[in-house]
Amino acid sequence: MLCDHDRKAFSDLLDEVGETYGQSVSARLKQTWWRLLAERLDLATLRQVLDGHLLDAERGRYFPRPSDVIAVLERAGGGRPGPDEAWALAIDTFDEAASVCVT
């Protein structure tokens, strides 16, 4: 997870990506990215995902969006739910009236 002391590096990273695309990234856009991603990943992971985006011949043609970052994280997880989500789904298995598929 991103911490308050990561804000400067986070801002610099978005500026760096923006420069690659010839765009300036506003403070408001940075706040939106922070709000959407701060609870989901750390700075090193964000840098890795953005570097991968920049190197992707197809997706890398366009400035990334937070949804692009989340999609990469979800693909990296193999499409499987995280621990919290898995437990929430597992609770349904105790309901005899519910249909549940377990892999």
Side-chain angles (χ1 to χ4, degrees):
M1 293 197 308
L2 294 165
C3 301
D4 281 336
H5 68 271
D6 293 324
R7 283 189 185 268
K8 172 73 169 116
F10 177 85
S11 176
D12 291 345
L13 178 58
L14 289 181
D15 286 339
E16 178 184 327
V17 172
E19 281 183 38
T20 303
Y21 292 95
Q23 299 180 9
S24 64
V25 182
S26 69
R28 190 172 187 173
L29 181 58
K30 290 176 188 178
Q31 287 177 324
T32 299
W33 274 65
W34 182 272
R35 180 175 47 82
L36 296 173
L37 299 176
E39 296 293 321
R40 298 176 180 260
L41 47 71
D42 59 37
L43 192 60
T45 302
L46 178 60
R47 178 175 292 280
Q48 183 179 2
V49 169
L50 290 176
D51 285 351
H53 181 88
L54 291 170
L55 293 170
D56 187 297
E58 187 66 27
R59 291 183 183 100
R61 290 185 286 164
Y62 306 101
F63 188 87
R65 295 189 169 136
S67 60
D68 297 321
V69 173
I70 298 304
V72 169
L73 294 176
E74 288 175 353
R75 283 193 305 272
R80 298 182 190 265
D84 292 336
E85 184 180 358
W87 275 113
L89 295 170
I91 290 173
D92 287 340
T93 63
F94 296 106
D95 182 358
E96 292 180 12
S99 296
V100 180
C101 178
V102 179
T103 61

XYZ file of all heavy atoms in Angstrom:
807
model
N 0.837 -1.181 0.000
C 0.000 0.000 0.000
C 0.883 1.246 0.000
O 1.952 1.254 0.573
C -0.900 -0.022 1.222
C -1.925 -1.135 1.164
S -3.334 -0.983 2.276
C -2.600 -0.719 3.843
N 0.378 2.252 -0.624
C 1.099 3.516 -0.665
C 0.905 4.262 0.645
O -0.181 4.243 1.215
C 0.597 4.373 -1.828
C 0.879 3.822 -3.228
C 0.043 4.547 -4.261
C 2.350 3.936 -3.554
N 1.960 4.904 1.103
C 1.916 5.688 2.337
C 2.089 7.169 1.995
O 2.531 7.513 0.897
C 3.034 5.256 3.276
S 2.948 3.525 3.731
N 1.773 8.022 2.948
C 1.890 9.463 2.704
C 3.297 9.863 2.281
O 3.461 10.778 1.478
C 1.463 10.256 3.939
C -0.045 10.350 4.058
O -0.733 10.235 3.017
O -0.546 10.527 5.175
N 4.318 9.163 2.815
C 5.683 9.531 2.434
C 6.019 9.122 0.993
O 7.065 9.486 0.475
C 6.705 8.966 3.428
C 6.826 7.474 3.412
N 6.041 6.667 4.187
C 7.641 6.668 2.708
C 6.352 5.409 3.964
N 7.322 5.384 3.065
N 5.114 8.380 0.329
C 5.302 7.996 -1.069
C 4.719 9.015 -2.046
O 4.904 8.893 -3.254
C 4.617 6.647 -1.344
C 5.261 5.489 -0.623
O 6.499 5.489 -0.476
O 4.510 4.579 -0.207
N 4.017 10.021 -1.534
C 3.299 10.952 -2.421
C 4.212 11.666 -3.420
O 3.865 11.794 -4.592
C 2.511 11.975 -1.613
C 1.235 11.398 -1.048
C 0.367 12.511 -0.447
N -0.801 11.975 0.199
C -1.983 11.796 -0.401
N -2.130 12.127 -1.658
N -3.004 11.302 0.264
N 5.363 12.105 -2.993
C 6.286 12.825 -3.885
C 6.777 11.893 -4.993
O 6.756 12.250 -6.179
C 7.455 13.401 -3.080
C 8.567 14.001 -3.924
C 8.171 15.315 -4.545
C 9.388 16.000 -5.136
N 9.314 16.158 -6.580
N 7.211 10.695 -4.627
C 7.698 9.738 -5.619
C 6.565 9.312 -6.555
O 6.775 9.132 -7.762
C 8.310 8.522 -4.927
N 5.357 9.162 -6.012
C 4.173 8.833 -6.808
C 3.915 9.933 -7.835
O 3.712 9.664 -9.014
C 2.986 8.672 -5.856
C 1.674 8.408 -6.516
C 1.300 7.121 -6.868
C 0.786 9.448 -6.774
C 0.072 6.870 -7.468
C -0.439 9.206 -7.362
C -0.795 7.914 -7.723
N 3.958 11.177 -7.388
C 3.750 12.322 -8.264
C 4.820 12.368 -9.349
O 4.516 12.585 -10.530
C 3.766 13.605 -7.435
O 3.670 14.731 -8.265
N 6.068 12.167 -8.952
C 7.170 12.172 -9.920
C 7.016 11.060 -10.955
O 7.297 11.254 -12.135
C 8.511 12.033 -9.204
C 8.875 13.253 -8.381
O 8.246 14.316 -8.568
O 9.787 13.142 -7.529
N 6.558 9.893 -10.512
C 6.363 8.773 -11.426
C 5.298 9.091 -12.461
O 5.488 8.848 -13.655
C 5.991 7.513 -10.636
C 5.713 6.248 -11.437
C 6.917 5.868 -12.299
C 5.345 5.107 -10.500
N 4.187 9.670 -12.026
C 3.144 10.042 -12.985
C 3.620 11.144 -13.929
O 3.263 11.143 -15.109
C 1.872 10.454 -12.256
C 1.106 9.314 -11.582
C -0.153 9.847 -10.913
C 0.763 8.212 -12.551
N 4.432 12.074 -13.411
C 4.999 13.114 -14.283
C 5.908 12.487 -15.341
O 5.880 12.880 -16.511
C 5.791 14.135 -13.464
C 4.900 15.070 -12.675
O 3.709 15.219 -13.030
O 5.389 15.641 -11.677
N 6.695 11.514 -14.922
C 7.606 10.830 -15.839
C 6.825 10.110 -16.945
O 7.165 10.204 -18.130
C 8.438 9.821 -15.048
C 9.395 8.992 -15.852
C 10.094 7.947 -14.981
O 10.346 8.204 -13.790
O 10.373 6.862 -15.518
N 5.775 9.419 -16.566
C 4.947 8.730 -17.557
C 4.271 9.754 -18.471
O 4.224 9.578 -19.695
C 3.909 7.821 -16.864
C 2.922 7.248 -17.871
C 4.608 6.690 -16.110
N 3.773 10.824 -17.885
C 3.143 11.869 -18.682
C 4.089 12.454 -19.714
O 3.700 12.681 -20.864
N 5.332 12.687 -19.324
C 6.323 13.227 -20.264
C 6.526 12.290 -21.446
O 6.708 12.737 -22.571
C 7.655 13.458 -19.553
C 7.696 14.713 -18.723
C 9.062 14.940 -18.105
O 10.085 14.661 -18.781
O 9.102 15.394 -16.957
N 6.479 10.991 -21.175
C 6.638 10.008 -22.240
C 5.568 10.178 -23.304
O 5.820 9.993 -24.493
C 6.575 8.575 -21.654
O 7.575 8.440 -20.657
C 6.780 7.528 -22.728
N 4.376 10.564 -22.874
C 3.252 10.736 -23.795
C 3.048 12.190 -24.197
O 2.055 12.513 -24.852
C 1.969 10.178 -23.170
C 2.008 8.680 -23.032
C 2.405 8.086 -21.850
C 1.673 7.868 -24.111
C 2.464 6.707 -21.732
C 1.719 6.494 -24.003
C 2.129 5.912 -22.810
O 2.194 4.546 -22.696
N 3.947 13.065 -23.785
C 3.821 14.475 -24.139
C 2.671 15.162 -23.434
O 2.088 16.105 -23.964
N 2.319 14.682 -22.246
C 1.204 15.245 -21.486
C 1.684 15.690 -20.111
O 2.601 15.103 -19.548
C 0.105 14.201 -21.290
C -0.507 13.689 -22.561
C -1.580 12.651 -22.284
O -1.978 12.425 -21.162
N -2.051 12.013 -23.336
N 1.032 16.715 -19.602
C 1.273 17.068 -18.215
C 0.160 16.439 -17.385
O -0.976 16.335 -17.832
C 1.301 18.582 -18.015
O 0.043 19.122 -18.324
N 0.511 15.977 -16.189
C -0.451 15.320 -15.315
C -0.824 16.307 -14.220
O 0.029 16.726 -13.435
C 0.147 14.027 -14.712
C -0.873 13.322 -13.841
C 0.635 13.103 -15.826
N -2.068 16.681 -14.179
C -2.522 17.683 -13.215
C -2.536 17.123 -11.796
O -2.588 15.906 -11.586
C -3.933 18.155 -13.573
O -4.873 17.113 -13.344
N -2.515 18.026 -10.838
C -2.601 17.625 -9.427
C -3.920 16.899 -9.164
O -3.967 15.941 -8.386
C -2.475 18.850 -8.529
N -4.964 17.331 -9.826
C -6.273 16.689 -9.647
C -6.264 15.244 -10.145
O -6.813 14.355 -9.511
C -7.321 17.506 -10.386
C -8.714 17.099 -10.099
C -9.664 18.079 -10.728
N -11.006 17.769 -10.309
C -12.039 18.506 -10.569
N -11.882 19.631 -11.237
N -13.225 18.161 -10.169
N -5.638 15.016 -11.294
C -5.539 13.660 -11.824
C -4.682 12.785 -10.906
O -5.006 11.620 -10.666
C -4.955 13.674 -13.235
C -4.821 12.322 -13.924
C -6.178 11.622 -14.017
C -4.203 12.488 -15.299
N -3.615 13.349 -10.373
C -2.768 12.600 -9.432
C -3.566 12.216 -8.189
O -3.413 11.107 -7.668
C -1.545 13.427 -9.043
C -0.558 13.591 -10.168
C 0.578 14.503 -9.759
C 1.470 14.816 -10.947
N 2.549 15.740 -10.587
N -4.413 13.115 -7.709
C -5.257 12.800 -6.546
C -6.206 11.653 -6.858
O -6.435 10.783 -6.014
C -6.058 14.026 -6.115
C -5.244 15.091 -5.431
C -6.087 16.308 -5.085
O -6.990 16.692 -5.817
N -5.778 16.916 -3.953
N -6.753 11.644 -8.053
C -7.662 10.569 -8.454
C -6.917 9.238 -8.493
O -7.395 8.236 -7.956
C -8.290 10.867 -9.827
O -9.034 12.082 -9.735
C -9.200 9.743 -10.277
N -5.746 9.233 -9.123
C -4.945 8.004 -9.160
C -4.636 7.539 -7.738
O -4.739 6.360 -7.442
C -3.646 8.254 -9.928
C -3.741 8.080 -11.409
C -4.483 8.835 -12.274
C -3.086 7.095 -12.188
N -4.301 8.384 -13.545
C -3.442 7.312 -13.527
C -2.208 6.072 -11.885
C -2.954 6.521 -14.562
C -1.715 5.282 -12.912
C -2.109 5.511 -14.229
N -4.235 8.455 -6.884
C -3.886 8.104 -5.497
C -5.098 7.474 -4.802
O -4.997 6.431 -4.166
C -3.407 9.341 -4.737
C -3.002 9.044 -3.344
C -3.790 9.033 -2.229
C -1.695 8.672 -2.894
N -3.061 8.696 -1.129
C -1.776 8.467 -1.508
C -0.469 8.509 -3.535
C -0.670 8.098 -0.736
C 0.633 8.137 -2.776
C 0.529 7.939 -1.395
N -6.241 8.116 -4.926
C -7.457 7.625 -4.273
C -7.810 6.218 -4.751
O -8.210 5.369 -3.950
C -8.615 8.590 -4.552
C -9.940 8.186 -3.927
C -11.015 9.238 -4.149
N -11.130 9.745 -5.498
C -11.794 9.119 -6.483
N -12.391 7.980 -6.261
N -11.866 9.664 -7.676
N -7.646 5.953 -6.022
C -8.030 4.664 -6.580
C -7.008 3.553 -6.361
O -7.374 2.380 -6.322
C -8.303 4.812 -8.083
C -9.481 5.717 -8.445
C -9.542 5.933 -9.949
C -10.778 5.146 -7.916
N -5.726 3.926 -6.207
C -4.684 2.907 -6.160
C -3.948 2.768 -4.834
O -3.310 1.740 -4.600
C -3.652 3.169 -7.270
C -4.183 3.144 -8.700
C -3.083 3.511 -9.684
C -4.784 1.791 -9.023
N -4.023 3.761 -3.970
C -3.198 3.758 -2.755
C -3.414 2.528 -1.872
O -2.471 2.040 -1.253
C -3.439 5.027 -1.942
N -4.628 2.015 -1.833
C -4.924 0.852 -0.990
C -4.608 -0.472 -1.688
O -4.687 -1.524 -1.066
C -6.403 0.866 -0.586
C -6.786 2.047 0.275
C -6.126 2.006 1.643
O -6.024 0.899 2.207
O -5.712 3.068 2.137
N -4.264 -0.431 -2.961
C -4.134 -1.659 -3.743
C -2.708 -2.112 -4.007
O -2.480 -3.285 -4.298
C -4.841 -1.495 -5.085
C -6.320 -1.261 -4.942
C -6.923 -1.007 -6.300
N -8.335 -0.766 -6.225
C -9.265 -1.665 -6.489
N -8.927 -2.874 -6.842
N -10.531 -1.365 -6.395
N -1.747 -1.188 -3.981
C -0.383 -1.572 -4.332
C 0.640 -0.648 -3.694
O 0.294 0.378 -3.130
C -0.205 -1.594 -5.855
C -0.720 -0.419 -6.698
C 0.082 0.831 -6.539
C -0.765 -0.829 -8.139
N 1.894 -1.035 -3.795
C 2.971 -0.192 -3.295
C 3.653 0.502 -4.475
O 3.346 0.225 -5.639
C 3.972 -1.008 -2.462
C 4.603 -2.146 -3.252
O 4.870 -1.973 -4.459
O 4.832 -3.211 -2.662
N 4.565 1.390 -4.165
C 5.205 2.210 -5.196
C 6.023 1.364 -6.169
O 5.978 1.586 -7.381
C 6.079 3.281 -4.542
C 6.578 4.390 -5.444
C 5.427 5.154 -6.075
C 7.462 5.346 -4.666
N 6.750 0.377 -5.655
C 7.571 -0.471 -6.529
C 6.695 -1.244 -7.518
O 7.042 -1.365 -8.699
C 8.405 -1.433 -5.686
N 5.560 -1.732 -7.058
C 4.646 -2.466 -7.936
C 4.056 -1.537 -8.983
O 3.961 -1.892 -10.159
C 3.529 -3.134 -7.116
O 4.121 -4.003 -6.150
C 2.583 -3.911 -8.004
N 3.681 -0.332 -8.573
C 3.145 0.637 -9.526
C 4.172 0.955 -10.600
O 3.848 0.979 -11.789
C 2.707 1.920 -8.820
C 2.170 3.021 -9.734
C 0.943 2.550 -10.516
C 1.848 4.274 -8.929
N 5.407 1.162 -10.196
C 6.467 1.454 -11.173
C 6.625 0.286 -12.135
O 6.723 0.470 -13.353
C 7.794 1.750 -10.479
C 8.933 2.010 -11.469
C 10.213 2.419 -10.787
N 10.107 3.720 -10.177
C 10.205 4.882 -10.832
N 10.380 4.885 -12.135
N 10.120 6.015 -10.194
N 6.616 -0.925 -11.625
C 6.766 -2.107 -12.464
C 5.608 -2.217 -13.467
O 5.821 -2.490 -14.649
C 6.821 -3.348 -11.584
C 7.040 -4.630 -12.333
C 7.115 -5.823 -11.394
O 6.962 -5.706 -10.180
N 7.344 -6.981 -11.951
N 4.395 -1.992 -12.995
C 3.228 -2.070 -13.876
C 3.284 -0.976 -14.941
O 3.022 -1.237 -16.124
C 1.921 -1.983 -13.061
C 0.714 -1.795 -13.961
C 1.751 -3.222 -12.192
N 3.632 0.238 -14.544
C 3.701 1.337 -15.522
C 4.830 1.118 -16.527
O 4.676 1.416 -17.711
C 3.833 2.677 -14.809
C 2.586 3.131 -14.051
C 2.861 4.424 -13.298
C 1.393 3.294 -14.982
N 5.961 0.593 -16.071
C 7.053 0.273 -17.000
C 6.587 -0.766 -18.016
O 6.865 -0.653 -19.209
C 8.281 -0.244 -16.246
C 9.043 0.850 -15.521
O 8.737 2.037 -15.730
O 9.942 0.501 -14.727
N 5.867 -1.771 -17.533
C 5.332 -2.784 -18.434
C 4.359 -2.190 -19.436
O 4.348 -2.569 -20.604
N 3.552 -1.249 -18.969
C 2.599 -0.580 -19.862
C 3.347 0.180 -20.958
O 2.987 0.102 -22.135
C 1.711 0.380 -19.067
C 0.695 1.074 -19.908
N -0.543 0.552 -20.156
C 0.745 2.252 -20.584
C -1.216 1.364 -20.945
N -0.457 2.413 -21.204
N 4.375 0.894 -20.568
C 5.152 1.669 -21.535
C 5.812 0.775 -22.584
O 5.988 1.178 -23.734
C 6.223 2.491 -20.821
C 5.720 3.645 -19.954
C 6.853 4.205 -19.112
C 5.086 4.726 -20.803
N 6.174 -0.435 -22.189
C 6.850 -1.357 -23.102
C 5.889 -2.201 -23.938
O 6.316 -2.879 -24.868
C 7.774 -2.283 -22.301
C 8.965 -1.598 -21.639
C 9.667 -2.557 -20.689
C 9.925 -1.058 -22.680
N 4.610 -2.164 -23.615
C 3.611 -2.956 -24.327
C 3.304 -2.300 -25.669
O 2.852 -1.153 -25.727
C 2.342 -3.066 -23.483
C 1.321 -4.002 -24.073
O 0.827 -3.726 -25.191
O 0.994 -5.004 -23.408
N 3.545 -3.031 -26.748
C 3.378 -2.464 -28.090
C 1.939 -2.044 -28.377
O 1.705 -1.072 -29.102
C 3.835 -3.477 -29.136
N 0.986 -2.747 -27.829
C -0.422 -2.442 -28.086
C -0.951 -1.399 -27.099
O -1.379 -0.314 -27.474
C -1.260 -3.726 -28.000
C -2.708 -3.541 -28.406
C -2.878 -3.193 -29.875
O -2.025 -3.560 -30.691
O -3.878 -2.522 -30.187
N -0.948 -1.732 -25.824
C -1.515 -0.846 -24.796
C -0.662 0.393 -24.552
O -1.165 1.423 -24.146
C -1.695 -1.605 -23.488
C -2.768 -2.661 -23.556
C -2.942 -3.320 -22.191
N -3.916 -4.373 -22.253
C -3.613 -5.662 -22.350
N -2.362 -6.041 -22.379
N -4.561 -6.558 -22.414
N 0.618 0.260 -24.785
C 1.540 1.346 -24.482
C 1.456 2.543 -25.406
O 2.152 3.529 -25.206
N 0.585 2.470 -26.390
C 0.434 3.615 -27.301
C -0.336 4.754 -26.653
O -0.318 5.873 -27.142
C -0.268 3.187 -28.580
C 0.613 2.287 -29.442
C -0.032 1.963 -30.743
N -1.100 0.982 -30.491
C -2.053 0.707 -31.346
N -2.128 1.331 -32.493
N -2.966 -0.205 -31.058
N -1.040 4.446 -25.554
C -1.903 5.439 -24.907
C -1.520 5.619 -23.449
O -1.077 4.675 -22.792
C -3.371 5.003 -25.008
C -3.798 4.729 -26.423
C -3.890 3.434 -26.898
C -4.065 5.780 -27.293
C -4.261 3.185 -28.212
C -4.437 5.536 -28.608
C -4.531 4.237 -29.061
O -4.892 3.994 -30.365
N -1.744 6.824 -22.956
C -1.488 7.104 -21.543
C -2.319 6.140 -20.694
O -3.507 5.955 -20.942
C -1.873 8.555 -21.228
C -1.456 8.990 -19.849
C -0.193 9.497 -19.631
C -2.326 8.875 -18.778
C 0.196 9.901 -18.360
C -1.947 9.267 -17.511
C -0.677 9.782 -17.300
N -1.701 5.505 -19.703
C -2.432 4.521 -18.907
C -3.500 5.156 -18.017
O -3.447 6.344 -17.710
C -1.340 3.878 -18.054
C -0.294 4.929 -17.940
C -0.327 5.674 -19.244
N -4.450 4.334 -17.631
C -5.500 4.731 -16.696
C -5.400 3.821 -15.487
O -4.820 2.734 -15.570
C -6.865 4.582 -17.353
C -7.025 5.542 -18.507
C -8.438 5.539 -19.016
N -8.589 6.655 -19.940
C -9.210 6.566 -21.088
N -9.752 5.438 -21.462
N -9.308 7.620 -21.860
N -5.968 4.233 -14.367
C -5.940 3.348 -13.198
C -6.502 1.957 -13.506
O -6.006 0.958 -12.994
C -6.796 4.084 -12.168
C -6.620 5.531 -12.519
C -6.546 5.539 -14.026
N -7.501 1.884 -14.368
C -8.072 0.576 -14.719
C -7.045 -0.313 -15.423
O -7.093 -1.540 -15.279
C -9.317 0.753 -15.586
O -8.998 1.444 -16.774
N -6.115 0.283 -16.159
C -5.046 -0.492 -16.796
C -4.148 -1.125 -15.737
O -3.737 -2.280 -15.858
C -4.201 0.385 -17.721
C -4.989 0.957 -18.888
O -5.843 0.225 -19.436
O -4.755 2.127 -19.238
N -3.850 -0.360 -14.705
C -3.014 -0.859 -13.613
C -3.725 -2.001 -12.892
O -3.135 -3.059 -12.637
C -2.661 0.281 -12.625
C -1.933 -0.253 -11.401
C -1.825 1.346 -13.328
N -5.002 -1.815 -12.583
C -5.771 -2.846 -11.886
C -5.862 -4.108 -12.735
O -5.745 -5.228 -12.227
C -7.178 -2.325 -11.528
C -7.090 -1.129 -10.588
C -8.038 -3.433 -10.930
C -6.320 -1.369 -9.320
N -6.055 -3.951 -14.045
C -6.145 -5.119 -14.934
C -4.858 -5.931 -14.898
O -4.899 -7.168 -14.871
C -6.455 -4.669 -16.358
N -3.717 -5.271 -14.885
C -2.437 -5.975 -14.814
C -2.326 -6.722 -13.490
O -1.909 -7.876 -13.445
C -1.248 -5.000 -14.989
C 0.068 -5.671 -14.653
C -1.228 -4.453 -16.404
N -2.725 -6.080 -12.405
C -2.677 -6.736 -11.099
C -3.585 -7.961 -11.052
O -3.220 -8.994 -10.490
C -3.066 -5.752 -9.997
C -2.127 -4.575 -9.766
C -2.706 -3.641 -8.720
C -0.747 -5.055 -9.362
N -4.755 -7.852 -11.648
C -5.694 -8.979 -11.661
C -5.166 -10.124 -12.516
O -5.293 -11.284 -12.142
C -7.072 -8.528 -12.141
C -7.776 -7.677 -11.121
C -9.094 -7.110 -11.623
O -9.419 -7.259 -12.830
O -9.800 -6.508 -10.802
N -4.553 -9.804 -13.660
C -3.966 -10.856 -14.496
C -2.811 -11.535 -13.776
O -2.635 -12.743 -13.886
C -3.492 -10.285 -15.824
C -4.607 -10.029 -16.810
C -4.085 -9.773 -18.214
N -3.109 -8.719 -18.337
C -3.399 -7.435 -18.528
N -4.650 -7.044 -18.593
N -2.443 -6.544 -18.642
N -2.042 -10.761 -13.025
C -0.908 -11.325 -12.292
C -1.376 -12.287 -11.207
O -0.676 -13.230 -10.859
C -0.057 -10.208 -11.673
N -2.557 -12.052 -10.683
C -3.113 -12.930 -9.652
C -3.741 -14.180 -10.234
O -4.304 -14.992 -9.506
N -3.669 -14.365 -11.533
C -4.215 -15.538 -12.171
C -5.733 -15.561 -12.206
O -6.347 -16.590 -12.441
N -6.345 -14.418 -11.959
C -7.792 -14.362 -11.974
C -8.439 -14.931 -10.721
O -9.654 -15.005 -10.621
N -7.644 -15.334 -9.774
C -8.178 -15.895 -8.538
C -8.422 -14.779 -7.529
O -7.717 -13.783 -7.518
C -7.218 -16.919 -7.953
C -7.002 -18.092 -8.882
C -6.087 -19.116 -8.250
N -5.705 -20.115 -9.213
C -6.324 -21.268 -9.359
N -7.349 -21.552 -8.603
N -5.922 -22.135 -10.264
N -9.405 -14.957 -6.666
C -9.684 -13.916 -5.676
C -8.590 -13.860 -4.612
O -7.907 -14.855 -4.358
C -11.020 -14.367 -5.069
C -11.039 -15.844 -5.270
C -10.316 -16.079 -6.570
N -8.457 -12.688 -4.005
C -7.550 -12.544 -2.881
C -8.146 -13.212 -1.654
O -9.294 -13.671 -1.666
N -7.394 -13.270 -0.563
C -7.865 -13.959 0.647
C -9.200 -13.438 1.174
O -10.085 -14.231 1.505
C -6.751 -13.720 1.662
C -5.551 -13.366 0.865
C -6.049 -12.746 -0.392
N -9.358 -12.135 1.251
C -10.604 -11.577 1.787
C -11.797 -11.928 0.909
O -12.858 -12.318 1.400
C -10.504 -10.055 1.939
C -9.522 -9.641 3.010
O -9.268 -10.467 3.920
O -9.008 -8.513 2.944
N -11.611 -11.797 -0.399
C -12.695 -12.112 -1.316
C -13.012 -13.609 -1.288
O -14.174 -14.019 -1.344
C -12.333 -11.671 -2.728
C -13.458 -11.867 -3.727
C -13.074 -11.421 -5.138
O -11.956 -10.923 -5.344
O -13.929 -11.594 -6.018
N -11.978 -14.442 -1.191
C -12.189 -15.888 -1.150
C -13.007 -16.292 0.074
O -13.921 -17.118 -0.018
C -10.845 -16.619 -1.161
N -12.704 -15.719 1.223
C -13.468 -16.038 2.431
C -14.912 -15.560 2.302
O -15.842 -16.232 2.738
C -12.825 -15.441 3.674
C -11.747 -16.330 4.219
C -10.414 -16.076 4.248
C -11.914 -17.635 4.789
N -9.734 -17.135 4.780
C -10.637 -18.112 5.133
C -13.022 -18.458 5.030
C -10.427 -19.360 5.712
C -12.810 -19.700 5.609
C -11.532 -20.142 5.941
N -15.104 -14.405 1.703
C -16.471 -13.904 1.513
C -17.266 -14.855 0.618
O -18.449 -15.117 0.863
C -16.436 -12.508 0.910
N -16.610 -15.402 -0.409
C -17.270 -16.367 -1.278
C -17.489 -17.698 -0.576
O -18.508 -18.368 -0.780
C -16.441 -16.588 -2.549
C -16.299 -15.386 -3.477
C -15.266 -15.671 -4.553
C -17.633 -15.029 -4.090
N -16.542 -18.084 0.260
C -16.629 -19.373 0.951
C -17.811 -19.424 1.912
O -18.391 -20.492 2.130
C -15.331 -19.649 1.699
N -18.190 -18.307 2.463
C -19.325 -18.267 3.397
C -20.590 -18.776 2.720
O -21.408 -19.463 3.340
C -19.499 -16.845 3.968
C -18.340 -16.543 4.917
C -20.839 -16.688 4.657
C -18.299 -15.135 5.415
N -20.727 -18.495 1.416
C -21.907 -18.963 0.680
C -21.999 -20.486 0.633
O -23.086 -21.037 0.440
C -21.911 -18.408 -0.742
C -22.238 -16.926 -0.788
O -22.816 -16.421 0.197
O -21.904 -16.275 -1.790
N -20.883 -21.183 0.783
C -20.923 -22.642 0.704
C -21.694 -23.255 1.874
O -22.092 -24.411 1.804
C -19.506 -23.244 0.678
O -18.823 -22.939 1.899
C -18.718 -22.726 -0.512
N -21.913 -22.502 2.923
C -22.660 -23.005 4.074
C -24.166 -22.855 3.902
O -24.937 -23.400 4.684
C -22.225 -22.287 5.366
C -20.802 -22.558 5.725
C -19.817 -21.601 5.546
C -20.415 -23.808 6.215
C -18.494 -21.857 5.863
C -19.101 -24.072 6.543
C -18.127 -23.096 6.359
N -24.579 -22.152 2.849
C -25.998 -21.968 2.570
C -26.456 -23.058 1.606
O -26.031 -23.107 0.466
C -26.241 -20.587 1.968
C -27.689 -20.285 1.683
O -28.548 -21.173 1.906
O -27.966 -19.160 1.235
N -27.290 -23.948 2.069
C -27.743 -25.077 1.243
C -28.546 -24.627 0.033
O -28.661 -25.364 -0.945
C -28.555 -26.052 2.091
C -27.723 -26.763 3.132
C -28.531 -27.729 3.978
O -29.686 -28.013 3.619
O -28.007 -28.183 4.995
N -29.104 -23.442 0.081
C -29.918 -22.949 -1.032
C -29.049 -22.263 -2.098
O -29.520 -21.972 -3.190
C -30.964 -21.960 -0.525
N -27.777 -22.014 -1.799
C -26.904 -21.299 -2.731
C -26.160 -22.275 -3.622
O -25.808 -23.370 -3.216
C -25.906 -20.443 -1.966
N -25.958 -21.873 -4.867
C -25.124 -22.628 -5.796
C -23.732 -22.017 -5.787
O -23.587 -20.810 -5.973
C -25.693 -22.566 -7.209
O -26.936 -23.183 -7.261
N -22.728 -22.842 -5.553
C -21.360 -22.343 -5.448
C -20.444 -23.225 -6.277
O -20.556 -24.451 -6.237
C -20.881 -22.344 -3.970
C -19.465 -21.840 -3.863
C -21.814 -21.516 -3.117
N -19.575 -22.605 -7.039
C -18.573 -23.344 -7.831
C -17.208 -23.094 -7.202
O -16.812 -21.952 -7.002
C -18.594 -22.853 -9.271
S -17.353 -23.669 -10.295
N -16.520 -24.172 -6.850
C -15.213 -24.057 -6.209
C -14.166 -24.678 -7.111
O -14.354 -25.772 -7.646
C -15.223 -24.773 -4.832
C -13.856 -24.666 -4.177
C -16.294 -24.208 -3.945
N -13.053 -23.970 -7.309
C -11.968 -24.526 -8.116
C -10.787 -24.837 -7.246
O -10.606 -24.268 -6.203
C -11.535 -23.545 -9.234
O -11.070 -22.338 -8.622
C -12.670 -23.274 -10.174
